[in-house]
Amino acid sequence: WVPQVLPSMDEMVEVYQELSQRPGLRAACLGADVTTQYGGKYCSLYTEWSQRDLARAENVKFCRHYLIFHDGASVVYSGPAGTCSEIKDKLLSQESPSRALKAILRKVYSKKKEEKQFLEVWDQNCKVKSIDLTALDKHGSVYDDDHFGCLAWTHSETHLLYVAEKKRPKAESFFQSKTPELVSSSEDVECPEKADVPLKGEQFVYHEDWGESLSKRSMPVLCIMDIEDSSILVLEGIPEHLSPGQAFWSPNDTGVVFVGWWSEPFHLGLQQCTNRRSALFYMDLTSGACEQLSENNKAVWSPRLSPDHCRIVYLENDVFGPHQQCSRLRMYDWYTKQTSTVLAAVPRQTSGDTAALVTGAFPGIYCSALPGLCWAADSRRLVLDTVQRSQQDIFVVDTVTGATTSLTANAPQGSWSVLTIDRDILVAKFSTPNCPHTLVKCCPLPSAHQPLSGLALTLLPIQKVAILPSAGLEAQLQWICLQDAPPVPGISWGIHTLKPPPEQEHPQYEGLDFDAIFLRPSEDTTSQKHPLVVMPHGGPHSVFTTGWMLYPAALCHVGFAVLLVNYRGSLGFGQDSVASLPGNVGTQDVRDVQFCVEWVLRKESLDASRVALVGGSHGGFLACHLLGQFPDTYHACVVRNPVVNIASMVAATDIPDWCLTETGLPYTPHTLPDPAQLTEMLQKSPIHYVDRVCPNPGCVPTPVPTGSASTEAVPLLQVRAPVLLMLGEDDRRVPPQQGLEYYRALKARGVPTRLLLYPGNGHALASVEAEADGFMNMVLWLVKHLRC
């Protein structure tokens, strides 16, 4: 008798409904200090959250406020102020430097259901400006994405800087008939401004975009809004081969600083690709000159100006190679014009193994961006979060000495992220695999001369007071819980570190290890063995951290054990680990996952006859590989937008460089893959195993596919476990033709296969509807084919 995971589909629906409604913390902003009549001080903390609304099939954003009372030496009280309220149609927002004004970019729908964009300015009492950007028609849509988008005040608070799509001239058919012009008979009527003359034959010209999730981003331009007269200036003079973004005002408001991405010879996908050629630039608004500030032939992003307006820090990678890697922290001095390296790439953690987590040894920088506000008040130190093996921690960096100190070394194990730091009040979020986001703060960040070791930490279910040390005493950094989230009952988890067997060591990078995060149901009074779901991550240069993840938590809650594998090549283990994987995809990563699975089946009380695979993107690539290379281990599989044939993907994806780099081949945009390179890509792909026959002579023959003309049984194929595919119809990263290719190959060979195609979804399958439907179909597929 094999016990069920959950007795009914309705219970699984209830579990997903409950867990998916746990909100996620997205942003935080500290208000100005207000002095009370008794001499005490308080400030407000504004936070933004996101929550899935299954009934409306959308993500709902809401805000919540907190008050922090302090007297300059200690925190008297901190807690929530009022109830939550939904945020409607806000795209971007930014407070002015004095905090007296706030700019909001908002989308509004007209009576004809046409989307328009308004730029609003609010003071402390009301809305003082509402500017219809669409009606002004100076540019296209304003960018609100995390890659290009920005909304920056001048230090004088008179102008706003943002990025928008360049206005294109109107186009019409060669055969468009002219509309008669109406001429007024009155000579007193002033002649209107002459309309743009449409260009004939330009209707169907192809305009390149920036790929996955940036398909509406083609030709960005920098725009300046004069708040007083509501006029817009679209900056000219930026070289045409550059696409500007992440802009802010230079010291003294004399110009703008921005990141420029090279768009020649053609656009490559930018999402999750921190290896695209780019540089830091300064455009002088008086002379119109555009000057490059950073080195040539590098990839840079996330520039941040210090509070004293003297230094700019930014992240830097090499061009091409792995899309994600260990980054360098660079600093440009505005007045000396000198650039220095604050933190270099880290080959491996110096402390070694898991001891690094205890000692707080710096693992290197692995993050998609620096916090929007990351500088301490002294303009010398900054705070960032980065992956450290299988967890995420917060570090403070001294930009003069390059010294780093962990602010979470003695904190509970989990995932820590910086939300903001202002006046040395540090606000962060914290979560674990069985506990959604918790809001915490530290007040204040100690001064540069004070040691940070021996920090005190409290994470309690109610608000607590943060006691600040007296001046001159050794600092004790104390985290205070402002918003607690109760843990999900019945889930236990832990991190396991493994070393590959000697025969699987990389000859150039020996001694590398890797981690796995293991979740299992903890409230089990029976002696039954749980089925196991194996989940390798995508990327491949990504990582699972010990933070809140909906799918693994929900799977575990309904009765599955879940194994999240951070194979060699994952982020957070040093640059050597990242560099070890290109050229070895389909072998090293596959063997690491299989080694981990075999290890956990020996160590834990699990049902080895009920093991399944779940993976997306490169995780789907690995899942399909494992089905073909180790067919006796796995009995069901669910893949989301999987890479199945690198050779056929290279001509259709927005990241053709990925196909060659991960295969171990050099990439240049001016060269096409030759037949030998295409063959190598094919041989490293999971589709290569579809026609492989089980080498065991005792294998039972595969049933003849329905409709086959043959009457003879065929040999047992290695890929034979039932496969459920989930594809995003609008996926630009791994086009849906990849999954369709695998689907047709399995169907033709009689393998139980099902395909779900989600319109309007890209690579992440991130819509609320697709995410919810995908989870239910995944669980039902696993229950059916694992006999749960």
Side-chain angles (χ1 to χ4, degrees):
W1 176 74
V2 180
Q4 288 185 328
V5 173
L6 271 183
S8 71
M9 182 177 65
D10 290 340
E11 287 189 83
M12 294 180 188
V13 169
E14 290 178 6
V15 167
Y16 185 82
Q17 285 178 327
E18 177 191 347
L19 296 185
S20 66
Q21 290 179 4
R22 302 288 180 105
L25 185 52
R26 296 290 177 260
C29 178
L30 284 160
D33 278 338
V34 177
T35 303
T36 69
Q37 60 180 332
Y38 304 107
K41 294 181 180 180
Y42 71 90
C43 65
S44 63
L45 175 63
Y46 170 86
T47 60
E48 290 187 3
W49 304 70
S50 177
Q51 182 179 8
R52 300 170 183 87
D53 188 324
L54 297 180
R56 285 162 51 175
E58 63 178 324
N59 280 302
V60 176
K61 296 180 181 178
F62 66 90
C63 63
R64 189 172 189 184
H65 294 264
Y66 300 83
L67 290 179
I68 302 170
F69 288 84
H70 62 93
D71 59 8
S74 62
V75 172
V76 179
Y77 170 79
S78 62
T83 59
C84 305
S85 60
E86 185 174 351
I87 302 171
K88 289 281 192 179
D89 300 324
K90 187 183 77 171
L91 302 177
L92 292 172
S93 67
Q94 185 62 53
E95 284 193 340
S96 64
S98 69
R99 298 183 179 86
L101 300 171
K102 186 174 186 177
I104 297 177
L105 175 68
R106 197 182 304 276
K107 65 179 178 181
V108 178
Y109 292 95
S110 67
K111 293 181 180 179
K112 296 181 180 179
K113 304 300 181 183
E114 297 173 341
E115 183 178 321
K116 305 182 74 176
Q117 289 185 328
F118 282 76
L119 187 59
E120 304 170 351
V121 178
W122 295 73
D123 64 14
Q124 295 177 344
N125 299 310
C126 64
K127 185 195 298 184
V128 295
K129 282 279 185 177
S130 183
I131 304 164
D132 188 342
L133 299 180
T134 306
L136 291 176
D137 198 27
K138 293 293 185 179
H139 50 68
S141 294
V142 178
Y143 288 12
D144 62 332
D145 58 88
D146 293 332
H147 196 90
F148 289 103
C150 64
L151 188 58
W153 288 88
T154 52
H155 303 101
S156 60
E157 303 187 358
T158 59
H159 294 75
L160 282 165
L161 174 68
Y162 59 90
V163 181
E165 182 68 18
K166 184 177 182 179
K167 181 182 177 182
R168 291 199 186 109
K170 295 179 180 179
E172 67 179 16
S173 167
F174 287 108
F175 309 99
Q176 180 72 38
S177 58
K178 293 184 178 180
T179 304
E181 295 184 3
L182 299 177
V183 180
S184 174
S185 59
S186 173
E187 296 180 357
D188 298 329
V189 178
E190 184 179 348
C191 293
E193 185 178 342
K194 187 176 181 180
D196 295 334
V197 178
L199 301 177
K200 292 187 179 293
E202 297 289 318
Q203 287 173 287
F204 307 107
V205 172
Y206 171 67
H207 297 281
E208 293 184 58
D209 59 54
W210 288 102
E212 175 66 29
S213 79
L214 297 171
S215 60
K216 294 183 179 180
R217 309 291 187 254
S218 179
M219 300 175 65
V221 290
L222 297 180
C223 306
I224 297 175
M225 166 67 72
D226 187 317
I227 301 299
E228 182 63 29
D229 61 13
S230 302
S231 63
I232 298 175
L233 172 66
V234 178
L235 293 187
E236 298 180 353
I238 296 175
E240 291 186 0
H241 67 273
L242 294 178
S243 288
Q246 300 184 12
F248 58 90
W249 293 92
S250 66
N252 302 319
D253 297 336
T254 56
V256 296
V257 179
F258 65 92
V259 176
W261 284 267
W262 266 252
S263 56
E264 299 294 339
F266 52 81
H267 292 47
L268 290 170
L270 284 181
Q271 183 72 10
Q272 299 298 319
C273 300
T274 57
N275 65 339
R276 301 298 185 224
R277 186 184 178 190
S278 49
L280 198 63
F281 293 88
Y282 167 65
M283 185 170 186
D284 190 296
L285 295 181
T286 303
S287 66
C290 189
E291 175 189 1
Q292 183 171 329
L293 304 181
S294 61
E295 293 181 24
N296 204 13
N297 293 315
K298 298 293 182 183
V300 309
W301 74 103
S302 200
R304 302 290 185 260
L305 180 66
S306 62
D308 63 3
H309 302 170
C310 292
R311 286 167 288 278
I312 301 171
V313 292
Y314 58 91
L315 298 174
E316 180 186 88
N317 279 348
D318 293 330
V319 178
F320 296 135
H323 283 176
Q324 300 280 345
Q325 45 193 285
C326 188
S327 305
R328 297 177 288 273
L329 182 65
R330 304 273 278 168
M331 184 168 65
Y332 176 81
D333 190 295
W334 186 258
Y335 296 101
T336 67
K337 310 300 181 185
Q338 299 297 310
T339 302
S340 58
T341 299
V342 178
L343 295 173
V346 176
R348 305 192 192 191
Q349 284 186 316
T350 55
S351 295
D353 299 331
T354 55
L357 299 177
V358 178
T359 61
F362 189 66
I365 300 176
Y366 312 88
C367 58
S368 58
L370 295 172
L373 293 178
C374 64
W375 282 95
D378 58 14
S379 292
R380 170 169 173 161
R381 295 169 303 146
L382 59 87
V383 175
L384 56 82
D385 54 68
T386 183
V387 175
Q388 184 174 204
R389 298 183 68 88
S390 294
Q391 63 185 59
Q392 189 161 301
D393 288 296
I394 298 175
F395 288 84
V396 61
V397 181
D398 188 318
T399 61
V400 175
T401 65
T404 61
T405 305
S406 174
L407 300 181
T408 50
N410 299 327
Q413 193 176 47
S415 177
W416 292 81
S417 298
V418 176
L419 291 170
T420 188
I421 180 172
D422 196 350
R423 306 186 303 282
D424 286 347
I425 301 176
L426 175 60
V427 183
K429 62 181 179 180
F430 170 77
S431 68
T432 66
N434 65 343
C435 184
H437 290 151
T438 297
L439 180 63
V440 291
K441 74 178 181 70
C442 159
C443 177
L445 185 68
S447 60
H449 68 275
Q450 291 177 308
L452 289 164
S453 58
L455 61 91
L457 182 95
T458 57
L459 262 178
L460 300 175
I462 57 175
Q463 283 71 35
K464 287 291 180 178
V465 177
I467 306 300
L468 306 182
S470 302
L473 297 178
E474 182 178 4
Q476 290 187 339
L477 196 65
Q478 187 176 19
W479 293 100
I480 299 171
C481 184
L482 291 179
Q483 176 67 51
D484 184 63
V488 177
I491 299 176
S492 60
W493 62 274
I495 302 175
H496 301 285
T497 299
L498 298 91
K499 286 192 174 183
E503 65 273 13
Q504 294 180 15
E505 286 274 14
H506 193 291
Q508 184 179 350
Y509 301 103
E510 294 182 351
L512 295 175
D513 58 11
F514 63 97
D515 283 353
I517 304 170
F518 182 62
L519 288 73
R520 68 172 305 146
S522 57
E523 294 181 357
D524 186 5
T525 57
T526 69
S527 59
Q528 69 176 4
K529 294 184 176 181
H530 293 284
L532 175 66
V533 174
V534 180
M535 299 180 69
H537 62 70
H541 306 294
S542 179
V543 65
F544 283 124
T545 63
T546 51
W548 173 254
M549 294 170 281
L550 176 59
Y551 271 28
L555 281 170
C556 193
H557 199 63
V558 301
F560 293 94
V562 181
L563 185 67
L564 309 171
V565 186
N566 288 326
Y567 45 85
R568 284 173 293 169
S570 302
L571 301 179
F573 295 80
Q575 183 62 19
D576 284 356
S577 182
V578 173
S580 72
L581 188 53
N584 296 298
V585 293
T587 50
Q588 175 178 294
D589 44 6
V590 171
R591 290 170 182 169
D592 282 356
V593 175
Q594 183 64 19
F595 178 75
C596 188
V597 170
E598 294 174 357
W599 179 87
V600 80
L601 288 175
R602 291 194 306 268
K603 297 293 184 180
E604 300 287 342
S605 180
L606 300 168
D607 189 342
S609 67
R610 295 189 294 161
V611 181
L613 289 157
V614 173
S617 193
H618 189 83
F621 171 90
L622 293 179
C624 295
H625 257 298
L626 288 157
L627 288 183
Q629 295 190 38
F630 303 96
D632 295 331
T633 303
Y634 305 100
H635 304 281
C637 179
V638 180
V639 286
R640 298 156 52 94
N641 292 321
V643 177
V644 299
N645 187 343
I646 304 175
S648 64
M649 176 177 156
V650 67
T653 178
D654 68 331
I655 51 168
D657 60 309
W658 181 94
C659 299
L660 285 98
T661 297
E662 298 304 333
T663 305
L665 302 170
Y667 173 79
T668 58
H670 307 281
T671 306
L672 294 174
D674 59 36
Q677 292 176 326
L678 291 170
T679 299
E680 190 167 352
M681 293 182 202
L682 179 61
Q683 290 176 343
K684 291 184 181 294
S685 301
I687 198 76
H688 184 60
Y689 289 89
V690 167
D691 277 331
R692 290 285 186 93
V693 176
C694 181
N696 185 354
C699 288
V700 179
T702 300
V704 180
T706 303
S708 173
S710 173
T711 58
E712 297 181 3
V714 297
L716 183 65
L717 298 174
Q718 288 194 198
V719 180
R720 54 184 182 270
V723 177
L724 172 63
L725 295 113
M726 303 178 187
L727 308 180
E729 192 173 59
D730 299 335
D731 191 348
R732 300 283 300 280
R733 183 76 15 123
V734 181
Q737 287 75 16
Q738 286 283 298
L740 284 166
E741 185 177 347
Y742 201 61
Y743 171 78
R744 289 165 179 159
L746 297 184
K747 288 281 285 186
R749 288 154 181 81
V751 178
T753 311
R754 187 172 187 233
L755 189 148
L756 303 174
L757 185 64
Y758 294 99
N761 277 263
H763 190 56
L765 296 177
S767 73
V768 170
E769 188 176 30
E771 190 182 37
D773 182 80
F775 175 80
M776 288 305 303
N777 272 286
M778 171 184 66
V779 173
L780 293 174
W781 187 263
L782 297 178
V783 168
K784 176 182 177 181
H785 294 287
L786 295 182
R787 300 170 289 111
C788 295

